[in-house]
């Protein structure tokens, strides 16, 4: 293949490697920002005495969603463990959140 054929084939793919690299970098920055905000909110809620069950469920769902495609692609058992742990975590915390809300609702109904 000569240079012109390679360039024509690259243009036909409509895949811009620079844009793909920018999107991947943006995703990495987004994941870091998500984790920092999660840690801040959980610490803040802990200090204030508020539960963070909803945030924990969201975080573990994110961990499972990130790890599963990596496991499928690489077959790495560590990603499988992360997927299972994330799935278990996301199922556990909403139940605690519902139990806590039901308990709060029982307190408010007893005031009358």
């Amino acid at each position: 293949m000569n240079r012109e054929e390679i360039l024509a084939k690259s243009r036909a793919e409509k895949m811009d490697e620079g844009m793909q690299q920018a999107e991947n970098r943006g995703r990495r920055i987004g994941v870091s920002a998500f984790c920092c905000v999660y840690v801040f909110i959980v610490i803040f809620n802990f200090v204030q005495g508020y539960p963070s069950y909803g945030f924990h469920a969201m975080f573990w769902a994110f961990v499972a969603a990130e790890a599963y495609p990596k496991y499928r692609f690489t077959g790495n058992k560590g990603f499988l463990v992360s997927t299972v742990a994330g799935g278990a975590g996301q199922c556990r915390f909403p139940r605690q959140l519902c139990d806590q809300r039901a308990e709060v609702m029982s307190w408010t109904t007893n005031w009358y």
Side-chain angles (χ1 to χ4, degrees):
M1 279 187 162
N2 64 16
R3 181 174 181 228
E4 294 303 320
E5 289 175 8
I6 293 171
L7 287 174
K9 185 177 179 182
S10 175
R11 288 186 193 116
E13 287 180 357
K14 302 216 188 271
M15 178 79 70
D16 185 8
E17 290 180 12
M19 182 57 82
Q20 193 174 28
Q21 183 179 3
E23 288 173 350
N24 287 338
R25 185 161 189 254
R27 257 186 228 107
R28 275 187 250 127
I29 291 170
V31 167
S32 298
F34 175 79
C35 290
C36 289
V37 169
Y38 166 75
V39 168
F40 173 77
I41 289 172
V42 169
I43 290 172
F44 179 81
N45 283 350
F46 178 75
V47 169
Q48 295 295 319
Y50 299 128
S52 297
Y53 300 131
F55 299 111
H56 293 312
M58 184 175 63
F59 177 76
W60 284 111
F62 175 76
V63 167
E66 275 285 311
Y68 182 70
K70 291 177 184 177
Y71 167 71
R72 292 282 305 226
F73 184 73
T74 64
N76 185 338
K77 301 291 184 191
F79 291 129
L80 178 61
V81 170
S82 297
T83 301
V84 171
Q90 77 181 17
C91 292
R92 177 176 173 243
F93 289 111
R95 183 177 182 324
Q96 289 177 328
L97 181 64
C98 291
D99 289 346
Q100 183 221 3
R101 294 230 171 130
E103 185 178 336
V104 169
M105 293 300 287
S106 70
W107 294 339
T108 59
T109 56
N110 291 336
W111 287 357
Y112 298 111

